[in-house]
Amino acid sequence: MRTGIATVCLAGTLREKMQACAVAGFDGIEIFEQDLVTSPLSPEDVRKLAADLGLNLDLYQPFRDFDSVPEDLLAANLRRADAKFRLMSRLGMDTMLLCSNVGTATIDDDELRAAQLSRLADLAGDHGVKVAYEALAWGKYVNDYEHAHRLVGMVDHPNLGTCLDSFHILSRDWDTAPIEAFDPEKIFFVQVADAPKLSMDVLSWSRHYRVFPGEGQFELAKFMGHVVRAGYTGPVSLEVFNDVFRQADVERTAVDAMRSLIWLEEQSAAWLEANPANAADGMVSGAAGPVSGARRRYPMELATLPRVAEPAGFNFAEVRAGDTAGLETLLGQLGFAFNGRHRTKDVQLWTMGHARVIINEEPAAIGTATAAAGTGQPAPAAPAISALGFDVDSPVIAAARAQQLKAPAVPRKSQANEEVFQGFAAPDSTEIFLCQGSPDGTAAWTREFGDGLDVAAADPAEHPGAVIDHVNLAQPWQHFDEAVLFYTSALALEPQPFAEVASPTGLVRSQVMLTQDRGVRLVLNLAPLIQQEGTAGTGHRPGYQEHIAFAVEDLVATARSARDRGLDFLQIPANYYEDLDARFALDPEFLATLRELNLLYDRDADGEFLHFYTATVGSVFFEMVERRGAYDGYGAPNAPVRHAVQYDHLHQLTRTS
């Protein structure tokens, strides 16, 4: 699949955009007219730069407000088009995007439109270029891609074809199956964009909320499947208008964009495999005709990635800190056992059942991320979640997939007889390590701790069934969508519908990512930025609070033991328990226990959920949970309480410091 991207998707100058696209690995680009008009580069300079960077110049766009106009205005439009065609010749480009008229159309007549498009096609032919006609979703008279295609057929000119844009089609809920019947020679260009499902006018939706494939809710794999079956072989190019992307780092956004097309290519191949066409539809095998078999071939070859199973569970979570005293105290109070230091690295291992926490106290970038994996990331001054380990069937294959999805590898230093982990960095700077899972939930690398103590085989005296239930990671606002796509594509986590939770500083957007069996639950939060005491300059998402949640079999007993060890619980207001009693009519003795231990409670048709939170150390706090029955949530009704108490506690510290 030939990949492309419109320069309008990216921040920066035209030169910076082109360089970023080349670094990200795109085959070609669309030149957005405004980017060229505002650039000091001449068309000849742009042409040479593209050649030097190995980029095709696939499309010049947009040409607006041409058709459905009176003759005098048409003459002016043709003069304008002639100038653009001459410009394209200087650029070395052969295709221009023509949008259906929005602003100046006054005559609703398909015969007139076809005649006017024919005159434009004749002019394009004189210059040796082509015109790709696109139906804008808000076009005055032409807003349906099938209508645009019919007009192209009426003109029947070799220099006029259609452009299929997924946003303009899917935002109007048009059926995409008819694309398969289109003459592929008349599909001149294909643009793709995803978007969240919103109820608003289509123009505003398009201008501000488009995202890259995999970051929204459109059925793009289905759309592309029909395009592939039609026999299209040209570029598949991103055209995304988004307030966030235009402010973000240009190279990072370009990599995110390329990752989205790699993901879309794989998803489209999977859709085609899962939705076979009729006997000979779309199949080719050269001159010999259709080929039978499990996988049919089309003119557009779709590459696939190494297939991997979803993670079986968390192997460990790592917190990095310059001063580890507060973390050590907190884990000990929760009931974690200290299992010693690593034999060659400045890291500690703490365990509770099968829940493993690494405290990384390496003071400099000397290459350790975990007990068995080095990162090269400087240690922050205050505690922050820095790495997660996941149990997977084949770490090498899973790492290869992530690297093909543009995830940067995380180097590590290891000595003889130390576990070799495959690692890569997530967009939020969290380091991800892939571990070889074991049927009994143990981890071989733990033997590298405690002077050879076989921690993996040890039988923990307290909470033998404890596991990491979920991890909550905060996301910078400009990279939230990028993170969703990354964890979806690289780790095969399935995004759930996002929720918004009220906090004293605004709404917090929460996106749950999980495996089908719930063995891995990752929660991504897009929260208002609040600078926390001690987090400035840490190098890891300053100002955000994140947490690791551990599941135990008896939360009340865990809370009592933690209280006896002096744990500083997050203090829950009395008003919460009055409201809890009103909502659930709990047994008075049970309610009193919840109040006594600062426990929170939720219930639904499937079960119950008990949990409590610790105070925050740096940007990290811990949560202990107990799931009863088939409860599958996270105590969402209690989230505003937590946010409010943490906010108040933070400001108390600020006032007394």
Side-chain angles (χ1 to χ4, degrees):
M1 185 176 85
R2 290 170 53 196
T3 59
I5 183 172
T7 55
V8 72
C9 301
L10 304 170
T13 65
L14 180 57
R15 180 185 293 274
E16 290 170 338
K17 295 179 182 193
M18 293 175 68
Q19 291 171 337
C21 292
V23 170
F26 282 95
D27 296 317
I29 59 173
E30 305 174 36
I31 296 290
F32 193 70
E33 185 174 59
Q34 185 176 354
D35 287 322
L36 180 64
V37 170
T38 60
S39 174
L41 298 174
S42 70
E44 290 77 15
D45 291 336
V46 173
R47 182 175 186 171
K48 183 178 185 304
L49 178 60
D52 291 343
L53 294 172
L55 292 171
N56 295 318
L57 297 179
D58 293 326
L59 187 75
Y60 187 79
Q61 67 120 326
F63 193 77
R64 301 184 185 278
D65 297 334
F66 174 81
D67 62 85
S68 311
V69 297
E71 181 62 28
D72 59 338
L73 187 51
L74 178 66
N77 289 343
L78 288 170
R79 183 189 64 80
R80 185 163 52 97
D82 183 71
K84 296 305 177 183
F85 292 152
R86 294 179 188 277
L87 173 63
M88 290 170 61
S89 178
R90 296 172 63 192
L91 287 164
M93 304 182 75
D94 66 359
T95 307
M96 181 179 76
L97 177 69
L98 171 66
C99 303
S100 61
N101 200 334
V102 174
T104 63
T106 57
I107 307 171
D108 187 9
D109 184 337
D110 274 357
E111 294 293 338
L112 175 69
R113 267 187 288 274
Q116 293 178 343
L117 291 172
S118 181
R119 291 173 66 178
L120 181 65
D122 285 338
L123 181 61
D126 293 341
H127 289 276
V129 300
K130 300 181 296 183
V131 175
Y133 185 51
E134 173 186 67
L136 296 181
W138 52 89
K140 186 170 183 180
Y141 299 127
V142 181
N143 55 35
D144 180 346
Y145 78 98
E146 291 187 86
H147 187 182
H149 181 67
R150 288 195 301 273
L151 289 168
V152 167
M154 290 172 64
V155 174
D156 192 21
H157 194 291
N159 294 82
L160 181 68
T162 190
C163 173
L164 299 176
D165 183 312
S166 66
F167 182 86
H168 294 300
I169 295 171
L170 299 178
S171 64
R172 297 293 300 266
D173 290 324
W174 302 128
D175 182 12
T176 55
I179 293 173
E180 293 191 27
F182 284 15
D183 177 359
E185 297 300 321
K186 286 300 183 182
I187 304 176
F188 281 3
F189 209 75
V190 170
Q191 295 173 321
V192 291
D194 209 338
K197 292 292 184 68
L198 300 173
S199 297
M200 62 189 308
D201 71 278
V202 182
L203 178 57
S204 297
W205 188 11
S206 173
R207 287 288 179 262
H208 301 285
Y209 296 100
R210 293 197 197 193
V211 290
F212 295 132
E215 298 175 358
Q217 297 171 286
F218 284 168
E219 291 186 278
L220 288 181
K222 179 180 178 181
F223 166 80
M224 277 303 305
H226 293 312
V227 169
V228 170
R229 281 192 186 144
Y232 176 73
T233 58
V236 177
S237 186
L238 296 163
E239 187 191 44
V240 171
F241 305 99
N242 184 299
D243 298 337
V244 173
F245 295 165
R246 294 300 299 271
Q247 301 177 55
D249 177 78
V250 61
E251 290 193 5
R252 178 167 179 167
T253 305
V255 169
D256 180 34
M258 188 65 208
R259 178 184 299 124
S260 76
L261 282 185
I262 295 170
W263 175 88
L264 177 59
E265 189 170 6
E266 178 190 47
Q267 295 299 304
S268 301
W271 186 89
L272 285 166
E273 187 174 342
N275 298 273
N278 293 330
D281 281 355
M283 293 193 301
V284 297
S285 60
V291 173
S292 60
R295 183 170 180 177
R296 298 173 177 179
R297 295 185 57 201
Y298 298 92
M300 180 187 290
E301 292 288 341
L302 296 176
T304 56
L305 300 169
R307 293 194 178 186
V308 295
E310 60 185 19
F314 287 101
N315 189 282
F316 67 85
E318 176 194 289
V319 181
R320 186 185 290 266
D323 181 358
T324 65
L327 286 173
E328 295 173 25
T329 299
L330 203 56
L331 289 172
Q333 290 170 337
L334 286 173
F336 277 77
F338 173 63
N339 296 122
R341 294 179 176 274
H342 193 267
R343 61 193 182 202
T344 64
K345 300 176 177 70
D346 292 332
V347 291
Q348 309 171 24
L349 172 62
W350 292 74
T351 62
M352 176 190 284
H354 293 307
R356 290 177 284 269
V357 176
I358 297 295
I359 297 181
N360 189 333
E361 52 188 310
E362 297 238 348
I366 57 178
T368 355
T370 71
T375 70
Q377 178 181 330
I385 297 174
S386 56
L388 297 175
F390 295 93
D391 289 328
V392 297
D393 287 340
S394 177
V396 173
I397 294 177
R401 175 185 174 87
Q403 289 175 20
Q404 289 185 43
L405 286 160
K406 306 294 182 178
V410 174
R412 67 165 296 255
K413 294 180 180 179
S414 59
Q415 299 187 14
N417 300 319
E418 292 183 359
E419 189 81 5
V420 176
F421 284 169
Q422 303 291 326
F424 51 88
D428 59 10
S429 81
T430 304
E431 290 157 349
I432 304 300
F433 289 92
L434 305 173
C435 314
Q436 188 68 60
S438 59
D440 60 359
T442 59
W445 57 264
T446 59
R447 296 185 177 91
E448 300 168 20
F449 288 80
D451 298 324
L453 173 67
D454 189 357
V455 179
D459 182 19
E462 190 174 7
H463 308 300
V467 296
I468 295 177
D469 183 85
H470 63 275
V471 177
N472 185 305
L473 297 176
Q475 304 299 310
W477 65 270
Q478 67 271 41
H479 300 304
F480 186 87
D481 294 322
E482 177 186 4
V484 172
L485 171 62
F486 176 85
Y487 286 112
T488 300
S489 60
L491 282 178
L493 302 184
E494 188 69 28
Q496 307 302 299
F498 71 83
E500 292 182 332
V501 177
S503 80
T505 57
L507 289 178
V508 177
R509 180 178 176 183
S510 183
Q511 177 79 66
V512 175
M513 315 280 294
L514 45 75
T515 55
Q516 290 186 0
D517 65 358
R518 277 44 177 179
V520 170
R521 302 169 184 261
L522 192 63
V523 184
L524 308 181
N525 273 5
L526 176 60
L529 180 62
I530 307 171
Q531 185 62 52
Q532 297 180 38
E533 185 73 17
T535 61
T538 65
H540 190 88
R541 300 185 292 283
Y544 291 104
Q545 291 186 344
E546 304 177 310
H547 74 273
I548 306 168
F550 308 100
V552 296
E553 296 171 346
D554 187 341
L555 189 75
V556 172
T558 299
R560 291 193 190 281
S561 297
R563 183 186 59 182
D564 294 343
R565 298 186 188 101
L567 178 69
D568 183 12
F569 290 80
L570 194 68
Q571 298 297 303
I572 307 303
N575 292 335
Y576 167 78
Y577 295 102
E578 291 186 14
D579 179 70
L580 202 63
D581 185 37
R583 286 191 291 135
F584 294 116
L586 298 175
D587 177 81
E589 184 177 348
F590 179 58
L591 183 63
T593 299
L594 297 178
R595 188 193 305 265
E596 172 197 357
L597 298 172
N598 285 283
L599 305 185
L600 296 104
Y601 176 87
D602 190 31
R603 184 172 71 203
D604 62 19
D606 298 315
E608 299 172 290
F609 187 66
L610 282 72
H611 56 139
F612 71 80
Y613 299 99
T614 70
T616 302
V617 179
S619 63
V620 180
F621 61 95
F622 299 111
E623 179 185 9
M624 305 297 289
V625 311
E626 178 189 344
R627 296 181 181 275
R628 297 178 176 178
Y631 184 94
D632 194 40
Y634 304 86
N638 301 327
V641 179
R642 170 175 68 82
H643 286 294
V645 175
Q646 287 176 329
Y647 176 87
D648 187 57
H649 180 67
L650 172 64
H651 282 71
Q652 286 180 12
L653 291 176
T654 302
R655 287 192 294 269
T656 57
S657 62

